[in-house]
Amino acid sequence: GAVVSQHPSRVICKSGTSVKIECRSLDFQATTMFWYRQFPKQSLMLMATSNEGSKATYEQGVEKDKFLINHASLTLSTLTVTSAHPEDSSFYICSATDLDRSNTEAFFGQGTRLTVV
Amino acid sequence: GENVEQHPSTLSVQEGDSAVIKCTYSDSASNYFPWYKQELGKRPQLIIDIRSNVGEKKDQRIAVTLNKTAKHFSLHITETQPEDSAVYFCAAPLGGNYGGSQGNLIFGKGTKLSVKP
């Protein structure tokens, strides 16, 4: 199947610093990517839709100034957690859909475990 | 928007027994219903999906049924094995109609399946 790669897989940062997470579609182009957050023992919660060449669409309750999304190319979307705080510690995961495939399965990156200390 | 409810939250079965997980959705326009399996700390993996133009789909020990009138769909796993132990999530499209750039999924809260040898 299509491959979505996410980097880094784990990151520990100090409170107040910013962290950038990359999501790449390795063998297909993705005009749209999706960012989810998953707290321990909870479901995946959609944070935002990343649109290539335009502004991201954020879900209700997600601060756009805190979670900066950039989708500068058809294969790369980045999520930057700005001024991170311990409550931002979570598992962040992206997904993308290969528009050229007949079955529009959503492929997920391997996720990023963020720990803010 | 779409709302997805999933039951049960935990399910324990003996090896060889069947397991059934149920989900309901709210948007009658929704046309795509995937099921994902997520092992601890890993990315969700699609195990089966169904579109609204069929009522049932089967893949070896896994099947999904869809009742559009009642707006619910179920995952059936037969002859369960210990390696089936994981968290299972159902999902439905946020905007109802799923396809390409509209691939943002709303997930159920998940079911932790434990298969005892």
Side-chain angles (χ1 to χ4, degrees), chain A residues 4 32 34 36 38 42-44 46 49 59 91 93 97 99 104-106 108-110 113, chain B residues 32 36 38 41-44 46 51 89 94 98-105 107-109:
Chain A
V4 175
T32 306
F34 306 95
Y36 294 84
Q38 186 176 34
Q42 294 189 24
S43 187
L44 296 97
L46 180 66
T49 301
E59 295 303 308
F91 189 60
I93 192 164
T97 303
L99 299 180
T104 51
E105 173 184 348
F108 286 87
Q110 59 265 57
R113 175 77 58 192
Chain B
Y32 176 70
Y36 284 85
Q38 187 180 28
K42 297 187 177 180
R43 76 184 85 191
L46 179 73
R51 291 194 174 272
F89 293 99
L94 173 62
Y98 183 82
S101 62
Q102 296 176 339
N104 42 5
L105 297 169
F107 286 84
K109 293 189 183 299

Side-chain angles (χ1 to χ4, degrees), chain A residues 33-106:
Chain A
M33 293 184 176
F34 306 95
W35 287 96
Y36 294 84
R37 179 168 52 185
Q38 186 176 34
F39 291 108
K41 298 184 179 180
Q42 294 189 24
S43 187
L44 296 97
M45 299 299 295
L46 180 66
M47 297 176 65
T49 301
S50 173
N51 305 299
E52 188 269 335
S54 64
K55 292 182 179 181
T57 305
Y58 291 82
E59 295 303 308
Q60 190 173 7
V62 179
E63 300 176 58
K64 62 179 181 180
D65 294 331
K66 181 169 183 64
F67 298 99
L68 301 179
I69 292 173
N70 185 284
H71 196 149
S73 76
L74 288 172
T75 60
L76 174 64
S77 175
T78 60
L79 169 68
T80 301
V81 182
T82 63
S83 187
H85 291 287
E87 56 265 31
D88 298 323
S89 299
S90 187
F91 189 60
Y92 292 85
I93 192 164
C94 66
S95 77
T97 303
D98 184 355
L99 299 180
D100 290 334
R101 288 174 178 262
S102 58
N103 61 331
T104 51
E105 173 184 348

Side-chain angles (χ1 to χ4, degrees), chain B residues 3 5-6 9 12-13 15 24 28 34 45 55 57 64 68 72 82 85 91 103 106 110:
Chain B
N3 184 44
E5 299 285 339
Q6 183 173 345
S9 57
S12 182
V13 299
E15 182 177 1
T24 60
S28 57
Q45 298 276 6
K57 183 177 179 181
V64 55
K68 288 174 58 180
H72 67 69
S85 297
I106 295 300

Side-chain angles (χ1 to χ4, degrees), chain B residues 73-117:
Chain B
F73 56 110
S74 300
L75 176 70
H76 304 254
I77 306 174
T78 59
E79 300 173 34
T80 54
Q81 301 167 2
E83 51 265 39
D84 293 330
S85 297
V87 179
Y88 292 81
F89 293 99
C90 63
L94 173 62
N97 182 39
Y98 183 82
S101 62
Q102 296 176 339
N104 42 5
L105 297 169
I106 295 300
F107 286 84
K109 293 189 183 299
T111 297
K112 183 178 181 181
L113 174 64
S114 299
V115 180
K116 298 180 178 179

Side-chain angles (χ1 to χ4, degrees), chain B residues 38-57:
Chain B
Q38 187 180 28
E39 297 178 355
L40 189 63
K42 297 187 177 180
R43 76 184 85 191
Q45 298 276 6
L46 179 73
I47 56 171
I48 196 167
D49 56 11
I50 191 169
R51 291 194 174 272
S52 57
N53 57 347
V54 297
E56 184 174 1
K57 183 177 179 181

